[in-house]
């Protein structure tokens, strides 16, 4: 879409709204002045009494206009407030013109961020009641009733965790960026292959980071409340490598008693009895086994190297090992899937009664094979019906939504939702998504976050993305990580 701005330079905010309302469009900025060629003109001006934003949108041969206005802030108001007002007015004007053009409001209304639950959580922590926070979602941000209810359920789960968090507690993440094969929808920096030559050198560097970060955490008087071993697929490691890593984590880090400890064993074809025994021995409490779909045709279309019967075999092993909590991921909108096929997957997964079920919506991420090659996927209406079916089935089976997030390029602008049986919400997912406590992240691509919730501040420390760079820059990373943990000390 060709864009023209006047009186402002709010590129990022406008582009976020554009991606939400018109996911297939990409922004362009022609050099010429506005005219017939320009599809969206967004203007901002301040008069004596009012700040005004106007949108003119040419879409499908018609012109749509919208104007928003609010009382001008005094000259002495701070820049943050002025910027916030300008963005809000511009996004609202664009939104109104777009809804007029499309004839329908998106499920998340004007919200374009990945963390819609943050809004009610922050609102309540700043003194709003739950019903005021709920009204703000519906009235101010025009979120649909179904998404408002969903966000409020997740906000309640997040507020419960927030109240139980101690000041000296952090969450810990470790990344293993290796998978047996690459899924068609994956944009993750994962190197495929069990025999990947990088794994030994990668683990050596990771063990060093574990030792350094563990010692610094101890010295800082901090405790780890939840651990998440993700990736990639951590169970791409062999049983001995996995056992050594879990043992090092336990030895080096001060873990709270009863620490929540998740391992993503996402790919059923990587799960063995020996690996599960190692996880049990080292106190893993939650394991993810992700079918994504229970159709062999769909699994083949998305490049998974396992079948439905491999999934059931892995599930049997995991259940026999008796982990307190098992999660299963599903994806709505996969290539070759149908409404009835997806519903059957949901029903079959529910019949296994895992403690957590995470329902994702397919996103055509940049960098994925699906994005590069295209190909048929279920349309928005079909994905909507799939999600609708899953919600009803999950609620009827007693599951509750406890965290959610959105992604760019997601079918229909929908969301990914974590569902749990009562009492089985995964705290790591909540803390990470709502940014409730500081997160210490180790490994390639890891992003550590120092979060001061009361002050509203967030500082990041980022490790290199690629395993090769991570291995090469290991000593620099250790220095940075130590400095990061020292800053967490209160
Ligand atoms: S298992 Fe996950 S990280 Fe690995 S290729 Fe598939 S989507 Fe990517």
């Amino acid at each position: 879409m060709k864009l023209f701005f006047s009186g402002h330079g709010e590129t990022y905010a406008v582009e976020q709204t554009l991606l939400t309302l018109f996911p297939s469009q990409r922004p362009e900025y022609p050099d010429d002045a506005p005219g017939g060629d320009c599809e969206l003109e967004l203007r901002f001006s301040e008069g004596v009494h009012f700040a005004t934003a106007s949108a003119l949108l040419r879409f499908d041969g018609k012109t749509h206009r919208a104007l928003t206005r609010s009382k001008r802030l005094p000259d002495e108001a701070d820049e943050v407030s002025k910027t916030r007002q300008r963005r809000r007015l511009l996004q609202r004007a664009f939104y109104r013109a777009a809804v007029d053009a499309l004839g329908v409001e998106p499920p998340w209304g004007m919200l374009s961020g990945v963390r819609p639950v943050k809004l009610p959580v922050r609102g309540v922590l700043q003194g709003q009641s739950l019903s005021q926070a709920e009204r703000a979602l519906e009235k101010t941000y025009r979120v649909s009733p179904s998404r408002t209810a969903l966000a409020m359920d997740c906000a309640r789960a997040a507020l419960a965790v927030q109240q139980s968090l101690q000041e000296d507690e952090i969450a810990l993440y470790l990344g293993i960026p290796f998978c047996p094969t690459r899924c068609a929808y994956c944009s993750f920096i994962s190197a495929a292959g069990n025999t990947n030559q990088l794994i030994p050198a990668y683990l050596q560097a990771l063990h060093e980071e574990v030792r350094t970060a563990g010692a610094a955490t101890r010295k800082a008087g901090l405790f780890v409340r939840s651990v998440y071993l993700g990736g990639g697929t951590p169970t791409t490691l062999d049983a001995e490598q996995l056992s050594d890593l879990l043992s090092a984590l336990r030895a080096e880090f001060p873990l709270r008693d009863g620490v929540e400890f998740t391992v993503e064993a996402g790919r059923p074809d990587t799960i063995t009895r020996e690996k599960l025994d190692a996880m049990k021995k080292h106190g893993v409490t939650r394991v993810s086994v992700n079918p994504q779909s229970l159709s062999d045709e769909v699994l083949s279309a998305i490049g998974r190297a396992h079948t439905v019967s491999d999934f059931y075999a892995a599930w049997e092993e995991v259940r026999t090992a008796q982990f307190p909590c098992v999660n299963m991921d599903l994806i709505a909108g996969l290539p070759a899937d149908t409404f009835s096929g997806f519903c059957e997957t949901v029903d079959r997964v529910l019949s296994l009664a895992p403690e957590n079920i995470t329902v994702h919506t397919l996103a055509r991420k940049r960098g994925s094979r699906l994005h590069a090659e295209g190909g048929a996927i279920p349309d928005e209406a079909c994905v909507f019906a799939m999600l609708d079916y899953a919600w009803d089935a999950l609620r009827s089976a007693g599951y509750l939504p406890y965290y959610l997030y959105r992604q760019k390029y997601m079918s229909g602008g929908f969301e990914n939702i974590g569902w749990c049986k009562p009492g089985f919400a995964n705290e790591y997912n909540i803390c990470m998504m709502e940014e409730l406590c500081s997160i210490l992240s180790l490994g390639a691509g890891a992003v550590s976050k120092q979060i001061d919730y009361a002050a509203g501040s967030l500082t990041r420390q980022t490790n290199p993305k690629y395993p090769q760079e991570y291995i090469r820059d290991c000593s620099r990373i250790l220095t940075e990580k130590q400095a990061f943990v020292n800053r967490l000390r209160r």
Side-chain angles (χ1 to χ4, degrees):
M1 185 177 283
K2 296 188 174 93
L3 309 179
F4 174 80
F5 296 165
S6 169
H8 69 96
E10 296 296 348
T11 311
Y12 181 77
V14 174
E15 288 184 2
Q16 291 306 301
T17 307
L18 174 70
L19 288 176
T20 307
L21 294 164
F22 300 94
S24 62
Q25 301 272 349
R26 297 292 172 267
E28 291 172 42
Y29 296 92
D31 293 335
D32 304 349
D37 204 24
C38 198
E39 292 158 302
L40 174 67
E41 294 175 28
L42 266 180
R43 298 171 191 273
F44 180 77
S45 60
E46 286 184 312
V48 181
H49 300 296
F50 292 102
T52 306
S54 68
L56 185 153
L57 176 66
R58 297 184 187 89
F59 186 76
D60 268 356
K62 289 191 183 150
T63 300
H64 308 267
R65 294 170 201 272
L67 191 108
T68 52
R69 167 173 287 184
S70 57
K71 208 165 165 218
R72 184 189 168 158
L73 293 174
D75 286 340
E76 56 276 18
D78 62 89
E79 272 316 306
V80 175
S81 306
K82 287 182 183 172
T83 303
R84 209 174 279 152
Q85 182 189 56
R86 186 169 60 241
R87 282 187 190 152
R88 202 174 52 236
L89 288 172
L90 284 162
Q91 286 181 305
R92 196 160 292 171
F94 181 12
Y95 180 81
R96 285 187 188 162
V99 167
D100 189 40
L102 297 168
V104 59
E105 295 215 33
W108 286 100
M110 289 177 56
L111 294 183
S112 56
V114 296
R115 297 178 160 92
V117 179
K118 253 186 159 180
L119 207 62
V121 170
R122 278 184 192 272
V124 170
L125 292 175
Q126 286 165 4
Q128 274 184 339
S129 66
L130 281 166
S131 51
Q132 284 171 326
E134 186 171 356
R135 259 201 312 281
L137 283 177
E138 278 200 313
K139 304 281 181 236
T140 310
Y141 296 97
R142 307 200 55 87
V143 177
S144 70
S146 69
R147 262 58 188 186
T148 298
L150 189 62
M152 293 311 295
D153 277 338
C154 294
R156 282 184 203 94
L159 288 163
V161 171
Q162 201 273 340
Q163 276 162 18
S164 69
L165 274 170
Q166 306 293 314
E167 284 227 327
D168 57 0
E169 289 179 332
I170 60 169
L172 176 64
Y173 177 85
L174 264 91
I176 306 292
F178 302 99
C179 290
T181 57
R182 185 105 182 251
C183 303
Y185 50 80
C186 184
S187 64
F188 190 70
I189 310 297
S190 61
N194 277 324
T195 54
N196 197 304
Q197 301 299 311
L198 284 175
I199 290 179
Y202 181 80
L203 286 177
Q204 197 181 336
L206 187 58
H207 273 273
E208 286 193 42
E209 201 183 5
V210 166
R211 270 193 296 280
T212 302
T217 304
R218 241 177 239 290
K219 201 165 159 211
L222 299 168
F223 292 89
V224 174
R225 177 166 166 136
S226 58
V227 183
Y228 200 103
L229 201 57
T233 305
T235 40
T236 305
L237 304 182
D238 66 32
E240 194 182 339
Q241 290 167 333
L242 189 61
S243 181
D244 288 350
L245 186 58
L246 295 172
S247 163
L249 273 177
R250 285 235 159 241
E252 303 295 343
F253 277 95
L255 306 181
R256 275 271 189 251
D257 288 346
V259 64
E260 180 193 85
F261 203 140
T262 297
V263 173
E264 280 271 349
R267 302 281 288 251
D269 45 334
T270 62
I271 296 174
T272 65
R273 172 75 56 86
E274 293 71 33
K275 294 179 198 179
L276 295 172
D277 286 347
M279 291 186 227
K280 277 296 277 191
K281 183 173 149 206
H282 296 296
V284 170
T285 60
R286 181 177 182 266
V287 176
S288 265
V289 194
N290 301 332
Q292 312 300 20
S293 164
L294 289 178
S295 152
D296 280 332
E297 194 192 340
V298 175
L299 290 175
S300 161
I302 60 174
R304 307 272 283 196
H306 64 87
T307 61
V308 172
S309 62
D310 292 334
F311 163 75
Y312 277 107
W315 159 251
E316 278 306 317
E317 293 284 6
V318 168
R319 255 311 179 228
T320 307
Q322 297 192 323
F323 290 94
C325 182
V326 176
N327 172 67
M328 294 185 187
D329 281 3
L330 305 178
I331 303 179
L334 286 173
D337 210 355
T338 59
F339 174 69
S340 61
F342 179 78
C343 298
E344 197 184 326
T345 293
V346 170
D347 293 345
R348 288 169 75 185
V349 164
L350 278 172
S351 73
L352 303 176
E355 287 71 23
N356 292 175
I357 299 177
T358 311
V359 182
H360 295 258
T361 304
L362 182 73
R364 278 189 193 245
K365 296 178 203 158
R366 278 171 196 262
S368 68
R369 184 155 60 80
L370 196 62
H371 185 270
E373 295 173 6
I377 53 171
D379 64 20
E380 250 180 66
C382 181
V383 175
F384 180 82
M386 287 171 168
L387 294 175
D388 217 31
Y389 180 87
W391 289 21
D392 278 354
L394 282 154
R395 283 209 191 265
S396 306
Y399 289 80
L400 300 169
Y402 74 95
Y403 91 109
L404 70 85
Y405 63 102
R406 301 170 70 206
Q407 286 171 293
K408 281 181 193 163
Y409 315 119
M410 193 170 246
S411 296
F414 299 124
E415 62 286 302
N416 299 324
I417 307 173
W419 297 80
C420 65
K421 288 185 179 174
F424 288 94
N426 180 254
E427 281 195 10
Y428 176 86
N429 282 333
I430 293 177
C431 287
M432 183 267 301
M433 199 47 65
E434 307 314 332
E435 298 177 327
L436 297 179
C437 69
S438 294
I439 315 252
L440 180 57
S441 296
L442 317 184
V447 180
S448 297
K449 292 182 186 174
Q450 179 185 14
I451 293 164
D452 186 336
Y453 212 89
S457 69
L458 190 155
T459 314
R460 290 184 174 81
Q461 183 269 324
T462 308
N463 283 0
K465 255 187 186 177
Y466 297 96
Q468 294 91 330
E469 295 170 354
Y470 174 72
I471 296 164
R472 188 194 63 205
D473 297 346
C474 184
S475 53
R476 175 180 59 78
I477 294 164
L478 298 184
T479 310
E480 285 180 11
K481 196 50 58 81
Q482 196 156 22
F484 175 82
V485 178
N486 289 345
R487 287 197 299 273
L488 295 179
R489 205 178 332 186
R490 284 163 198 273

